[in-house]
Amino acid sequence: MSGLKLQKAFHKESRGKTGEIKLFRAFIRAFNSLGPDVLAKEYHGNRHQVTFNESRGAGRATPRCELCDVMIINYPVGNPSAARITFNQAKVADNTLGCTRIITAATPYSFRANLEQWDLLSNRPDISSASRAFHPPSNLLSGALLPSIGTFGVFYPVGTSFDFAYLVADGLAPLNNNLSPSGTLLWSTPLGIVRAVKGHDEITGTCCLEQFGDALGLNLIGTPISTLMYGASGNVAAQMRIWLTEVLFILQREHPESLLPKELLDGLELRREAEEQRNTKKPKKTPALPRAVILIRSSEPNDMA
């Protein structure tokens, strides 16, 4: 997948669009326009999926909100066992963001957001289900190896179209930590920085979709899935495998033409869980999923046409 192709596709899809819903759907269409290496699917479900104990020091003691807008799973071509995952919350800003390939001093950038959502994705507490159909593992965020399990994506205007900034949530901070969940988040560190955390590299943020796509190709987006499935205690790790298998099996069933769900099921050694799903006499109801799921099989930037 080429970052430049992704950026051009989104510029085309977002031209003349306004509002978060229209831009988000343009984002999904842009990914799906890239061919068989991407599978993007929008879902509609309960917006209040999880509860957790607040860590920001203000507001409700036990917030309740959605997990994210889009769950992105990316893996290098030929190596699905190295897959990474991020839970990304999408927002729209009126102010543009300067984009350059040269890392410079930080330019402060702010946008409106839900501070409880930021608390969830930045501080990564244990979570509990707020929906009968949504049963992710309690340590889905807290057990992640890298902070980029929780991220924000900001659609910002570029001429008559839009672009997309990717920001790891722990690099954001509220301008005012209000009692109200509504507030403004500030990014005040350089973009494009690659940091090493526990032996794994991640990028702290990208200023545009071209750089975001290139970072996917370098496997710098999100936390390794394998550590969530096999690095935790037995019950929690098993719950993660079952939950992720459900998600991938649903995508495989809905899109039999795509190889990506099967490659991930095989590469992440989820064949046993998948067989149990297939052999279930009474199919489970579709579990509540994030607003969208994107699977990406990526190549390094210098391998992209």
Side-chain angles (χ1 to χ4, degrees):
M1 187 192 71
S2 163
L4 183 58
K5 287 182 179 179
L6 175 61
Q7 183 184 53
K8 288 181 176 179
F10 183 63
H11 283 179
K12 178 181 177 181
E13 293 288 348
S14 65
R15 188 167 294 118
K17 302 292 190 301
T18 58
E20 186 176 309
I21 293 176
K22 290 182 179 179
L23 288 170
F24 187 79
R25 288 175 176 165
F27 185 69
I28 297 298
R29 290 196 302 272
F31 272 99
N32 272 329
S33 72
L34 300 179
D37 287 332
V38 178
L39 173 58
K41 176 76 180 234
E42 182 183 4
Y43 291 92
H44 301 277
N46 190 343
R47 293 182 62 83
H48 301 292
Q49 295 177 319
V50 300
T51 62
F52 58 97
N53 294 326
E54 68 87 15
S55 299
R56 69 186 181 98
R60 295 184 292 178
T62 309
R64 177 177 175 176
C65 60
E66 61 186 354
L67 177 61
C68 66
D69 279 325
V70 57
M71 179 174 75
I72 302 173
I73 297 177
N74 172 73
Y75 66 96
V77 61
N79 189 15
S81 64
R84 292 194 178 199
I85 187 170
T86 187
F87 296 97
N88 185 270
Q89 187 71 14
K91 304 306 298 181
V92 179
D94 295 327
N95 48 325
T96 192
L97 175 66
C99 192
T100 175
R101 286 193 168 275
I102 300 174
I103 297 174
T104 59
T107 300
Y109 184 76
S110 61
F111 57 94
R112 298 289 295 174
N114 184 299
L115 299 184
E116 291 181 341
Q117 194 76 49
W118 166 80
D119 187 9
L120 174 69
L121 296 177
S122 175
N123 294 314
R124 299 182 287 129
D126 285 348
I127 58 176
S128 299
S129 174
S131 166
R132 291 182 180 179
F134 193 64
H135 302 287
S138 60
N139 75 333
L140 181 61
L141 302 176
S142 62
L145 193 67
L146 305 183
S148 57
I149 185 73
T151 57
F152 276 79
V154 183
F155 300 121
Y156 64 87
V158 177
T160 59
S161 296
F162 280 78
D163 214 317
F164 174 88
Y166 163 84
L167 308 169
V168 176
D170 77 340
L172 293 160
L175 278 178
N176 294 293
N177 198 10
N178 306 313
L179 292 175
S180 168
S182 180
T184 298
L185 292 176
L186 175 67
W187 177 267
S188 57
T189 58
L191 292 163
I193 298 293
V194 176
R195 63 185 176 189
V197 180
K198 298 179 181 178
H200 295 263
D201 289 342
E202 67 175 359
I203 196 164
T204 58
T206 64
C207 63
C208 64
L209 273 172
E210 180 180 2
Q211 291 190 18
F212 178 70
D214 289 348
L216 285 168
L218 294 170
N219 214 22
L220 297 173
I221 302 292
T223 195
I225 293 178
S226 60
T227 60
L228 282 168
M229 294 193 305
Y230 301 106
S233 61
N235 289 340
V236 173
Q239 192 178 2
M240 179 65 189
R241 292 197 298 273
I242 292 168
W243 182 73
L244 186 58
T245 301
E246 280 188 341
V247 173
L248 294 173
F249 188 67
I250 288 166
L251 288 168
Q252 185 181 48
R253 188 174 59 207
E254 293 175 342
H255 300 276
E257 77 287 352
S258 176
L259 296 177
L260 307 189
K262 182 180 185 303
E263 286 189 355
L264 282 164
L265 286 167
D266 290 343
L268 294 170
E269 298 182 2
L270 297 172
R271 287 185 291 271
R272 187 186 69 181
E273 286 84 356
E275 284 300 321
E276 290 176 356
Q277 287 275 352
R278 291 189 186 95
N279 295 331
T280 300
K281 292 181 180 179
K282 292 182 179 180
K284 294 181 180 179
K285 293 181 179 179
T286 301
L289 297 170
R291 183 175 167 188
V293 178
I294 301 177
L295 306 183
I296 304 162
R297 179 175 57 195
S298 59
S299 302
E300 289 192 19
N302 59 4
D303 294 334
M304 298 174 185

